[in-house]
Amino acid sequence: MRKGDETVLQPGMVFHMMPGLWLDNVGITITQSFAVSDTGYEPLTKTPRTLFVK
């Protein structure tokens, strides 16, 4: 999906989102699989959304 895309989201559709930031020598991606539901979305994983800083 990109700017200008006119795709209509419907219940039962499944997506794997992978937003990322890539620089010259380092990058980060965060992925999440989810299904479109009648009320919004349903994550397909049970992994807690916790930020770990080392």
Side-chain angles (χ1 to χ4, degrees):
M1 304 181 104
R2 299 184 189 281
K3 185 178 180 179
D5 188 335
E6 296 184 14
T7 301
V8 176
L9 301 181
Q10 298 179 24
M13 291 178 152
V14 176
F15 294 90
H16 183 91
M17 295 291 285
M18 189 171 139
L21 174 63
W22 293 273
L23 303 173
D24 289 336
N25 61 350
V26 67
I28 184 172
T29 60
I30 302 169
T31 67
Q32 174 68 54
S33 296
F34 65 93
V36 179
S37 70
D38 290 326
T39 58
Y41 76 98
E42 177 184 341
L44 299 179
T45 61
K46 301 292 184 201
T47 305
R49 290 171 178 83
T50 305
L51 176 63
F52 295 93
V53 178
K54 292 185 176 187

